[in-house]
Amino acid sequence: MSKTLRLVLGDQLNSHHSWFKTVDDSVTYVMMEIRTETDYATHHIQKVVGFFSAMQEFAAELQLQKHQVIYMHLNDDNNLQSFEKNIRYLIEKEAFTLFEYQFPDEYRLDEQLKKLSQSLAIATSVCDSEHFMSSRDELGDFFQGKKTFLMESFYHMMRKKHHILMEGDKPLTGKWNYDGENRKKLPKDHKPTSPLVFQNKVTHIVSEIQKTDIQTIGNIDANNFVWPINRKQSLALLDFFVTECLALFGSYQDAMTPNEWSLYHARLSFSMNLKMISPLEVINRAILEWEKNPDTIAYHQLEGFVRQIIGWREYMRGIYWNKMPEYATMNYFNNGNPLPEWFWTGKTKMNCLKDAINQSLNYAYAHHIQRLMVTGNFALLAGIHPDEVDAWYLGIYIDAIEWVEITNTRGMSQFADGGIVGTKPYVSSAAYIDKMSHYCGSCFYKKAVKTGDKACPFNSLYWNFYDKNEDKLGKNPRIGMMYNVWRKMKPEDKVALLEQADYYLKNINNL
Ligand SMILES: Cc1cc2nc3c(=O)[nH]c(=O)nc-3n(C[C@H](O)[C@H](O)[C@H](O)COP(=O)(O)OP(=O)(O)OC[C@H]3O[C@@H](n4cnc5c(N)ncnc54)[C@H](O)[C@@H]3O)c2cc1C
Ligand code: SF4
């Protein structure tokens, strides 16, 4: 009699996958909490707990539907703590005749499972995870022969292909992109909607983790775990987003303000990255809400949201599969400095960084502009080695899975890919952070001061970055204006700026 073993990875919790359409007694699903996954980076405690909780909920749901499931808990005696060992053990013990898995989204796991299935003595097969709206190779095929991979062109292709916000082959309203109408600072007296949070009790998982020597970072309230851990909660969060946040999503997408950790952001990346909900259903739900309420939800808010998901999210995945494994070693600026110690504690006098890091430690979340223009901006200006930057981002965020973390971090944020993802580095002085936030007013450092006592470190590090990298950036037409300003600066002002930057870099752990 044929017996099939199907592996479900922790980020493959797609209950709509065709695997689960029929209940078949000859098929057994296996899910495992293993040390190779908890230990490949130092993860935030909420990330480990979030994955394990969602996996346990998913396994229980499958069992309720009468599917056969083997679930290996972290401290189970028979858990051999690696995919390979556990699968070999199960195949032998239960005499499986076929091993199946879905394409993993991480290069590391893809290689591991490919190698494993080639070496097994039984038949094996692999299938799609049925989540994304583009295939692994689609971006590579679309840009074949091109030197640059422009997200905007990919986004237009995706809108046309899936017929989303289109009128025939033209964009609805005649315009593709409404970015110009978004990105405002939050008015001083504006109180954002309080985020919908869950009160999941996860004490059992936290105590299992505490029994091991797994290293984690960050904080958790195990009686009130705020993240969605199943499809039902993910759908509730989606509902909350479209009814309470979408109407101001685009407007305040780039805004930052102290003590407000989510503003009008969706916080759906965790649910989507684990595949508890699909990108298509997220977009369709947002479009439906806009169709029902065109007077309260302006089109530019909707378009901005749709672009993040069918544009940026799918684009980053395409870049990942097109450029791995080389991508993971790229270091265009040859940066080599270590990450400041306070990235792990939040203990810095720099208000913007203190807020973004403490929030990340408390919620395992920061929104895009905090990641890009506060922590990422600082890391690039300070010449931190991209490996260290990647390790931090991969560990600290609940939604961090390599395909979307590394492309955003090494690519978009650190420009370590030399311009595959971005056309110029995302760096700024204090002026941009002040323009988009309310951090600077109460900061120890002075936003308008460039040198001397209490000068904001972003200011001198910004010019130091351009000076140091002139050979690589000097001819970039998108930055030409900055080099004109730099070249026209008085020599003594330049020297003072570079000396200030040098001082800060030498004393980086005390900033
Ligand atoms: C340095 C850096 C590291 C990042 N690391 C990750 C990561 O590990 N995992 C991750 O999912 N995202 C990452 N991002 C992208 C983005 O910041 C997060 O997807 C977003 O903050 C998640 O919060 P949200 O669901 O509230 O997003 P919203 O702001 O509400 O956006 C809606 C959705 O759009 C998608 N999206 C938006 N921007 C991007 C983007 N640049 N790339 C991919 N998807 C996007 C996400 O699925 C997100 O849920 C990173 C960005 C930067 C600059
Ligand atoms: S003054 Fe500088 S360090 Fe302080 S909050 Fe503003 S940008 Fe950040």
Side-chain angles (χ1 to χ4, degrees):
M1 191 186 101
S2 83
K3 276 181 80 179
T4 301
L5 181 65
R6 284 178 173 168
L7 172 68
V8 179
L9 297 173
D11 67 346
Q12 294 179 336
L13 312 183
N14 176 4
S15 56
H16 288 172
H17 193 278
S18 48
W19 268 5
F20 309 118
K21 288 228 161 75
T22 48
V23 175
D24 182 341
D25 286 346
S26 71
V27 174
T28 301
Y29 294 94
V30 62
M31 299 178 72
M32 37 183 118
E33 300 172 1
I34 49 176
R35 290 300 297 261
T36 46
E37 296 308 293
T38 56
D39 295 5
Y40 74 85
T42 308
H43 304 286
H44 198 295
I45 179 77
Q46 293 190 35
K47 183 179 172 192
V48 183
V49 168
F51 268 77
F52 287 178
S53 304
M55 287 165 65
Q56 291 182 12
E57 292 273 318
F58 189 74
E61 199 184 307
L62 291 184
Q63 278 161 338
L64 208 66
Q65 293 161 11
K66 307 278 183 257
H67 290 290
Q68 298 191 74
V69 180
I70 297 173
Y71 192 94
M72 293 184 163
H73 291 91
L74 186 62
N75 295 319
D76 284 353
D77 288 342
N78 65 346
N79 186 344
L80 300 172
Q81 303 295 346
S82 88
F83 288 121
E84 173 167 3
K85 287 183 188 156
N86 282 335
I87 286 163
R88 286 190 190 282
Y89 164 79
L90 287 174
I91 289 175
E92 198 175 313
K93 182 167 162 266
E94 308 279 341
F96 286 107
T97 55
L98 175 64
F99 170 65
E100 296 188 326
Y101 67 102
Q102 298 172 21
F103 280 117
D105 285 314
E106 260 185 280
Y107 186 83
R108 175 183 65 95
L109 290 178
D110 196 52
E111 291 293 296
Q112 256 182 47
L113 292 176
K114 229 188 282 172
K115 226 192 257 166
L116 170 66
S117 49
Q118 280 161 5
S119 68
L120 290 174
I122 60 170
T124 64
S125 82
V126 57
C127 64
D128 198 84
S129 64
E130 301 172 12
H131 170 82
F132 290 99
M133 295 169 70
S134 52
S135 71
R136 274 185 182 182
D137 299 332
E138 201 158 333
L139 175 137
D141 294 344
F142 180 68
F143 288 114
Q144 200 163 37
K146 300 250 164 58
K147 244 181 109 188
T148 51
F149 292 17
L150 212 58
M151 199 295 286
E152 192 67 22
S153 327
F154 179 79
Y155 168 56
H156 297 182
M157 179 277 283
M158 290 292 284
R159 290 256 305 262
K160 284 186 207 157
K161 178 185 148 193
H162 293 280
H163 205 76
I164 289 170
L165 304 180
M166 297 293 293
E167 246 167 359
D169 61 351
K170 298 267 181 310
L172 197 67
T173 74
K175 199 170 141 183
W176 289 105
N177 183 318
Y178 281 77
D179 232 11
E181 295 184 33
N182 290 333
R183 311 185 159 186
K184 298 188 172 79
K185 186 172 181 160
L186 213 63
K188 238 216 131 105
D189 52 359
H190 179 100
K191 180 77 193 131
T193 308
S194 300
L196 171 70
V197 292
F198 299 94
Q199 273 130 22
N200 292 307
K201 196 171 163 66
V202 292
T203 42
H204 57 297
I205 299 179
V206 173
S207 82
E208 285 304 306
I209 294 169
Q210 280 165 350
K211 281 186 209 155
T212 67
D213 59 352
I214 294 171
Q215 300 294 310
T216 60
I217 47 169
N219 311 312
I220 189 165
D221 176 353
N223 285 304
N224 297 291
F225 182 62
V226 299
W227 291 97
I229 56 171
N230 52 40
R231 180 167 165 79
K232 196 170 162 214
Q233 290 183 352
S234 300
L235 289 172
L237 188 58
L238 171 60
D239 222 54
F240 172 82
F241 170 72
V242 298
T243 53
E244 304 293 325
C245 303
L246 180 59
L248 288 175
F249 172 80
S251 299
Y252 299 129
Q253 200 179 344
D254 289 5
M256 297 176 281
T257 198
N259 309 317
E260 295 287 349
W261 66 284
S262 62
L263 299 171
Y264 295 96
H265 291 274
R267 293 175 297 122
L268 287 167
S269 48
F270 176 67
S271 294
M272 270 194 281
N273 293 356
L274 268 62
K275 306 185 179 64
M276 292 188 279
I277 49 175
S278 76
L280 187 59
E281 70 185 325
V282 169
I283 290 167
N284 283 341
R285 180 70 186 85
I287 294 174
L288 182 71
E289 197 64 23
W290 166 73
E291 283 169 346
K292 280 197 292 184
N293 302 291
D295 297 336
T296 46
I297 303 172
Y299 182 71
H300 64 92
Q301 314 278 4
L302 175 75
E303 187 280 321
F305 182 69
V306 167
R307 179 159 22 92
Q308 302 310 313
I309 293 176
I310 66 168
W312 281 110
R313 187 169 186 267
E314 298 282 332
Y315 170 84
M316 289 306 199
R317 177 166 179 268
I319 296 277
Y320 183 77
W321 285 108
N322 193 258
K323 297 290 173 195
M324 281 297 279
E326 314 83 77
Y327 207 81
T329 58
M330 288 179 179
N331 185 1
Y332 184 64
F333 296 122
N334 294 317
N335 285 336
N337 290 337
L339 202 66
E341 287 156 14
W342 42 260
F343 259 73
W344 302 100
T345 63
K347 289 190 178 131
T348 165
K349 299 188 283 299
M350 303 173 77
N351 225 9
C352 51
L353 280 151
K354 184 165 61 188
D355 199 67
I357 294 170
N358 278 313
Q359 175 192 309
S360 305
L361 292 169
N362 289 333
Y363 293 101
Y365 176 87
H367 70 69
H368 188 67
I369 292 301
Q370 291 175 301
R371 299 186 203 198
L372 186 65
M373 297 311 294
V374 179
T375 41
N377 184 7
F378 185 86
L380 180 53
L381 293 182
I384 311 299
H385 196 297
D387 286 357
E388 296 226 348
V389 188
D390 260 334
W392 187 81
Y393 280 98
L394 189 58
I396 202 158
Y397 292 119
I398 189 134
D399 56 24
I401 304 180
E402 194 188 61
W403 65 268
V404 59
E405 175 281 321
I406 201 169
T407 42
N408 271 292
T409 303
R410 208 170 270 260
M412 181 187 263
S413 162
Q414 300 300 295
F415 205 77
D417 63 3
I420 296 168
V421 167
T423 49
K424 71 179 177 85
Y426 282 95
V427 286
S428 82
S429 64
Y432 173 83
I433 295 174
D434 187 45
K435 184 172 148 221
M436 296 314 302
S437 81
H438 300 124
Y439 292 132
C440 298
S442 52
C443 184
F444 170 88
Y445 294 102
K446 301 285 170 234
K447 65 180 184 200
V449 180
K450 295 188 176 62
T451 56
D453 204 23
K454 296 204 174 174
C456 169
F458 277 98
N459 295 335
S460 53
L461 291 175
Y462 177 73
W463 288 115
N464 180 62
F465 169 80
Y466 279 128
D467 181 62
K468 197 174 70 162
N469 296 307
E470 188 163 1
D471 58 329
K472 297 205 165 79
L473 299 174
K475 292 202 178 80
N476 184 326
R478 296 205 59 205
I479 335 181
M481 214 175 72
M482 295 321 298
Y483 277 106
N484 285 341
V485 176
W486 179 238
R487 283 176 203 125
K488 283 184 193 149
M489 225 180 265
K490 284 191 209 148
E492 60 272 28
D493 290 348
K494 282 182 164 182
V495 169
L497 276 167
L498 296 180
E499 280 177 1
Q500 183 74 41
D502 191 49
Y503 172 80
Y504 279 150
L505 289 175
K506 285 192 174 123
N507 293 281
I508 202 160
N509 285 320
N510 300 321
L511 288 179

